[in-house]
Amino acid sequence: MTGRVLVVNCGSSSLKYRLVDVGAGQALAWGLAERVGQPSGRLTHSRAGGEPSVVERPLPDHAGALAAALEAFEHSGPSLADAGLTAVAHRVVHGGDRFSAPVRIDDDVVRAVRELATLAPLHNPVNAVGIEVARRAFPGLPHVAVFDTAFHATLPPHAHTYAVPPQWAREHGVRRYGFHGASHAHVSRAAAELLGRPLSETNTVVLHLGNGASATAVAGGRSVETSMGMTPLEGLVMGTRSGDLDPAVVAHLHRVAGLSPAEVDRALNSSSGMLALAGTNDLREVHRRIADGDEAAALALDVFCHRVRKYVGAYLAVLGRTDAIAFTGGIGENDAVVRAASLAGLETLGIRLDEERNAVRAPGGRRVSADGSPVAVLVVPTDEELEMARQTVDLLAAGS
Ligand code: AMP
């Protein structure tokens, strides 16, 4: 599988990109445009083996951000004209139940991405803007949408159905979809490779712990249960999101505090989670505060790890035989304390961490469980952009 793909990921005020050589499994260049639409913007562009270049200038909109990125390619390389680009891949957060796989983009797809904004109002509109801007910049290339939800299209009905009036699902799309699909796909495959087992015979609990966090039970390469639901709010405790919560809280706060549903929704997404409990959503800072005797930070970490442990127990029950638990994401890959606390006391379920292996910081995928642990515990760096680029190349190869 070969090809060079420009992967684009548009956020509300940012544009991330990565030029991926799929055959080599490597990024050739990557960058981030920040503060898009604000008075002062910044573009940081890096190429493999080079120093990052930083340009500070206003980036009025996503078209301006992409134009600045293309200039950075020209200035600092590698030259996109000579890169042999085969496609542009776009991250789209919500595919609803319309998209269960990556899809080649045409006007109908862009319209569908916009229509699905009812389910992801913060993400899908800006994803659509990114697609339109890039289609204008690269009119001769195929563009492919890769959906965060698509990997979870295999969720069985008993896992994706909420126990609510069925017309809510039929008419308003109220069901569980799951997110972080590219990461869960990449990590579950890499976990099977690390174990030396065929993916189709490997059962893994993937714990993607970053600023956003989700757990997925992957049976033979298929997502069978996942912690995020209709939106990325459900499940684990996150940087700024509450995760699981009694839905009655929304009506209660409306009655007793006069908060509108929109206000509660905003608070649950943007000012809850670790930020609410510890005062910061950066786990490194949480550890510093705990070392200084901050009890709120200690409680926040306990709440975070307890929630992860609960999901691990639940997903062992969902999978039956489990071969591995794979930690990924900024926290999962780097935070040995979180890994140990999340799995503490699970020895009777066949999970035995090796303290020394867990404490070592090393790049690449590795095993951190004790020899003979019935369930292997792995650290697997995620690479969502490589996964998106691979899926894009696969789609185009299948279509040609
Ligand atoms: P992500 O969203 O996957 O990029 O993860 C971002 C989060 O990872 C940050 O907010 C930090 O809390 C956490 N993180 C990154 N590096 C470390 C580290 N060395 N130790 C603990 N947490 C880290």
Side-chain angles (χ1 to χ4, degrees):
M1 204 174 22
T2 57
R4 290 189 169 172
V5 178
L6 182 67
V7 180
V8 177
N9 181 359
C10 272
S12 56
S13 63
S14 69
L15 184 151
K16 268 196 256 180
Y17 59 91
R18 192 171 279 246
L19 174 62
V20 177
D21 185 321
V22 175
Q26 276 173 357
L28 305 175
W30 54 95
L32 170 67
E34 299 169 272
R35 304 196 295 267
V36 176
Q38 293 171 26
S40 70
R42 175 169 52 195
L43 180 94
T44 312
H45 176 86
S46 305
R47 64 178 299 177
E51 289 293 310
S53 64
V54 181
V55 177
E56 304 263 358
R57 77 167 203 227
L59 303 166
D61 51 25
H62 286 86
L66 186 64
L70 299 185
E71 279 171 35
F73 272 106
E74 242 165 62
H75 267 182
S76 312
S79 157
L80 279 182
D82 302 335
L85 264 190
T86 43
V88 183
H90 297 269
R91 181 176 191 168
V92 178
V93 165
H94 220 305
D97 50 18
R98 270 193 245 182
F99 297 105
S100 56
V103 62
R104 185 138 176 195
I105 293 171
D106 57 18
D107 292 344
D108 287 343
V109 171
V110 180
R111 204 169 308 119
V113 168
R114 284 196 190 286
E115 282 164 12
L116 287 163
T118 50
L119 289 167
L122 299 179
H123 297 105
N124 272 39
V126 71
N127 295 157
V129 167
I131 290 172
E132 283 174 338
V133 163
R135 281 177 94 198
R136 278 197 290 275
F138 300 100
L141 285 177
H143 290 251
V144 171
V146 183
F147 299 90
D148 265 24
T149 46
F151 182 61
H152 305 293
T154 51
L155 287 178
H158 59 248
H160 73 61
T161 305
Y162 288 123
V164 297
Q167 71 268 25
W168 293 3
R170 277 198 308 272
E171 292 170 19
H172 305 299
V174 177
R175 50 154 284 185
R176 311 184 68 252
Y177 296 96
F179 296 86
H180 285 147
S183 180
H184 290 295
H186 177 82
V187 171
S188 51
R189 183 165 0 90
E193 279 166 16
L194 261 177
L195 296 180
R197 296 174 61 99
L199 178 61
S200 59
E201 293 167 22
T202 307
N203 291 349
T204 304
V205 177
V206 179
L207 299 170
H208 178 113
L209 309 180
N211 205 31
S214 65
T216 296
V218 184
R222 295 160 68 84
S223 170
V224 294
E225 177 59 284
T226 193
S227 60
M228 285 176 167
M230 186 182 83
T231 76
L233 183 56
E234 191 177 342
L236 302 177
V237 175
M238 305 179 219
T240 64
R241 288 175 234 157
S242 62
D244 291 336
L245 181 88
D246 184 340
V249 167
V250 182
H252 174 76
L253 286 174
H254 182 57
R255 275 195 310 272
V256 302
L259 294 178
S260 70
E263 284 171 316
V264 180
D265 189 50
R266 225 178 357 262
L268 294 178
N269 275 291
S270 310
S271 51
S272 295
M274 295 304 283
L275 180 62
L277 295 184
T280 170
N281 56 343
D282 188 332
L283 263 282
R284 290 160 291 198
E285 177 61 19
V286 172
H287 289 300
R288 279 193 284 275
R289 291 183 185 193
I290 293 172
D292 290 342
D294 184 333
E295 288 178 13
L299 173 63
L301 193 69
D302 285 349
V303 172
F304 183 95
C305 296
H306 173 71
R307 185 79 54 87
V308 175
R309 192 160 55 238
K310 242 170 52 168
Y311 270 89
V312 169
Y315 287 6
L316 292 183
V318 166
L319 286 173
R321 194 204 79 236
T322 303
D323 301 297
I325 293 171
F327 283 91
T328 194
I331 299 165
E333 291 168 34
N334 294 302
D335 197 324
V337 174
V338 164
R339 289 195 297 263
S342 299
L343 300 182
L346 300 187
E347 293 80 3
T348 50
L349 298 178
I351 301 168
R352 293 206 309 272
L353 210 59
D354 181 292
E355 244 176 75
E356 267 177 41
R357 285 180 193 160
N358 185 44
V360 171
R361 290 178 63 90
R366 61 194 190 280
R367 202 184 278 250
V368 295
S369 45
D371 292 338
S373 175
V375 179
V377 182
L378 309 174
V379 175
V380 180
T382 194
D383 195 334
E384 293 169 283
E385 288 83 4
L386 175 59
E387 180 65 31
M388 290 171 61
R390 276 190 183 141
Q391 293 188 11
T392 296
V393 168
D394 276 354
L395 173 77
L396 297 175
S400 64

